[in-house]
Amino acid sequence: MGALHLDTAVRRDGERLVAELSRDWEIWGPNGGYVSAVALRAAGAVVPDGHRPATLSVQYVGVGGFGETECRVSPVKQGRSAWLVNVELVQAGKVFLQAQVWTTSRTDGPVTAEAAMPDAPGHETLLTYEEHARRHYGDQAPPPHVFWSNFDGKPLRWQPFDGPRQPGPAQLSEWFRFRGFEPGADPFLDFGRAVILLDTLIWPTHHRGLPEAPDYIAPSLDLTVWFHDPPGAAEWLLVDGVADTARAGLIHGHSRLWAEDGRLVATGGSNLLHTPRR
């Protein structure tokens, strides 16, 4: 199990910013949402104190490896209350992720809260994936992939891994909690939770809408996240998403992320590239 605050940490090494990518966040290499969260924290290490993330736009231009990663952050606009920075994650001289991050220190302005949290059962009434598996399989329950060991997930609808598929709409509403996460004062770390969930869950959302298990994979090309309200002390987060558009080699999904107290935390979307299995 990883520790988000440690595994996304960025440190100074002379003139460089450096992160250590952890194998605890492995899916097809370092998970895209995880490395995007590292890029977000790298931006936070450069912008002025008192800033928070406003928008993150990521392009996945390669697959990184585990271990030391250089984070190159270049300010593009340095306004009085808003900054734009470019971020590149680099290994062995090659960029595998590039991103643009808007940040702001602005706190005034209009307040509108018309978005309503979905009418979903509370997390306290639901079982986790592991509890479902133990009830169904007993001692033969398959262990989760290492990446999913970082979370407690509570689905609104669960089905056995080896049972007949029950395809439904390409929609997903599930509660998630990062194991061992302790909220602090850093909004770039706090919003990292949103980045990981909004990136990772597009593929499972698409997957559940299919009548048969797919014979292809779909790596993410990009990710855009708009940040609204830091989760803060909220431990459980509700992902409400769809992946209802796929054509001409592209699969698109988008989601909203809600805190357990009803606040809208972030909105995000991604395009995935249809890739036949080799």
Side-chain angles (χ1 to χ4, degrees):
M1 184 184 78
L4 188 65
H5 66 290
L6 297 176
D7 297 337
T8 58
V10 176
R11 59 180 172 84
R12 290 280 178 185
D13 180 15
E15 297 296 318
R16 303 190 309 155
L17 283 176
V18 175
E20 293 285 337
L21 300 188
S22 168
R23 288 188 178 275
D24 287 323
W25 302 88
E26 183 269 329
I27 290 185
W28 304 341
N31 170 262
Y34 165 59
V35 292
S36 296
V38 171
L40 186 65
R41 293 199 71 184
V46 172
V47 300
D49 291 341
H51 275 231
R52 68 184 188 280
T55 306
L56 169 70
S57 300
V58 176
Q59 296 79 46
Y60 300 113
V61 296
V63 179
F66 300 103
E68 184 176 289
T69 300
E70 183 179 358
C71 308
R72 299 176 182 172
V73 183
S74 304
V76 177
K77 178 179 175 59
Q78 297 167 276
R80 287 183 295 176
S81 61
W83 275 41
L84 173 65
V85 299
N86 287 338
V87 182
E88 293 180 333
L89 299 189
V90 183
Q91 291 177 338
K94 294 184 178 180
V95 176
F96 67 90
L97 178 149
Q98 63 182 25
Q100 298 77 46
V101 184
W102 275 105
T103 71
T104 184
S105 60
R106 187 66 62 87
T107 58
D108 57 347
V111 177
T112 303
E114 295 182 2
M117 187 175 181
D119 185 18
H123 61 82
E124 66 280 354
T125 68
L126 301 171
L127 298 177
T128 67
Y129 274 100
E130 291 184 0
E131 289 169 337
H132 277 293
R134 284 198 298 270
R135 282 193 174 190
H136 184 82
Y137 296 102
D139 293 338
Q140 303 303 313
H145 186 280
V146 61
F147 175 82
W148 296 108
S149 298
N150 298 304
F151 312 92
D152 289 315
K154 292 189 173 184
L156 274 62
R157 176 172 65 91
W158 182 85
Q159 63 182 45
F161 311 121
D162 55 357
R165 290 182 64 85
Q166 300 175 16
Q171 300 174 352
L172 181 144
S173 291
E174 294 186 4
W175 290 96
F176 287 92
R177 174 176 63 183
F178 283 72
R179 292 177 176 172
F181 184 80
E182 296 183 4
D186 181 2
F188 293 87
L189 170 59
D190 200 9
F191 274 129
R193 292 188 281 171
V195 172
I196 292 173
L197 292 174
L198 292 171
D199 171 86
T200 303
L201 294 172
I202 299 298
W203 170 251
T205 304
H206 168 73
H207 194 285
R208 68 174 46 202
L210 302 175
E212 298 180 356
D215 59 355
Y216 55 87
I217 59 175
S220 298
L221 293 178
D222 57 18
L223 171 70
T224 299
V225 180
W226 297 274
F227 302 105
H228 309 306
D229 200 346
E235 188 177 15
W236 286 92
L237 302 171
L238 176 69
V239 179
D240 182 55
V242 297
D244 54 3
T245 302
R247 61 174 49 222
L250 295 176
I251 300 165
H252 174 75
H254 54 274
S255 306
R256 281 179 161 182
L257 190 72
W258 304 83
E260 54 193 301
D261 58 9
R263 290 177 295 118
L264 180 60
V265 169
T267 305
S270 180
N271 271 346
L272 285 61
L273 183 67
H274 169 263
T275 304
R277 293 186 182 274
R278 296 180 180 177

